[in-house]
Amino acid sequence: MSESEDVRSRLKQMRGRAEDLEKAAEQATDPEERRRLQDEAHQLESRSVQVSGMASGDLYPME
């Protein structure tokens, strides 16, 4: 597997996990648990954007 395929695979996994966390947050009945799941999902989404930017050679990834 090439490095770019590895990065794409990792990004796909991160985004899939973030989506799963968002769905779990929507179904959570406890407000604290909902917030925790949403925060974790947003962190994963943010990391995936950074990894994507770095993989494309962007010197200044979005924050």
Side-chain angles (χ1 to χ4, degrees):
M1 181 180 283
S2 73
E3 186 176 334
S4 64
E5 290 172 336
D6 185 42
V7 170
R8 278 195 296 262
S9 174
R10 195 166 132 218
L11 286 169
K12 186 176 179 180
Q13 288 176 346
M14 290 172 75
R15 290 175 180 148
R17 176 72 178 138
E19 187 176 317
D20 291 344
L21 288 168
E22 283 288 343
K23 289 178 183 177
E26 290 173 5
Q27 296 175 357
T29 56
D30 179 32
E32 288 181 30
E33 179 71 2
R34 176 179 292 136
R35 185 69 183 159
R36 185 189 67 76
L37 291 167
Q38 288 173 333
D39 288 346
E40 191 174 339
H42 291 211
Q43 288 173 358
L44 267 175
E45 290 168 1
S46 178
R47 271 189 258 149
S48 73
V49 168
Q50 289 178 343
V51 169
S52 178
M54 289 188 291
S56 69
D58 189 355
L59 293 176
Y60 304 101
M62 297 174 58
E63 294 183 12

